[in-house]
Amino acid sequence: MKQAQKRAHWAAIIEQQKQSTVSIKQFCQDNAIPYQTFYYWSKRLREDEQAQT
C-alpha cells in the first residue's frame, strides 16, 4: 500500500470513529485495531493538516 493510500485508509477509519457512538478504545477493540496504531495515525494526520496550513 502506498503512502497516500495509507493516509486515505486511516483518515476513513478515524472519521468512522468520530461518527460512532463508542469510545476510541471500544471502537479499536470492536474493529481489531491496535489502540496505539489508531493514535499514531490520528496524530500523524493532524500534524500533516497543520503543516499544510
Side-chain angles (χ1 to χ4, degrees), residues 16-48:
Q16 286 175 3
Q17 190 285 321
K18 286 180 182 178
Q19 293 179 6
S20 73
T21 59
V22 298
S23 67
I24 293 172
K25 188 173 183 179
Q26 186 64 48
F27 179 84
C28 289
Q29 288 175 348
D30 293 348
N31 293 284
I33 298 170
Y35 193 62
Q36 295 84 359
T37 304
F38 182 91
Y39 270 104
Y40 167 81
W41 278 101
S42 179
K43 180 180 177 185
R44 186 167 178 180
L45 292 172
R46 258 194 330 270
E47 288 173 350
D48 289 349

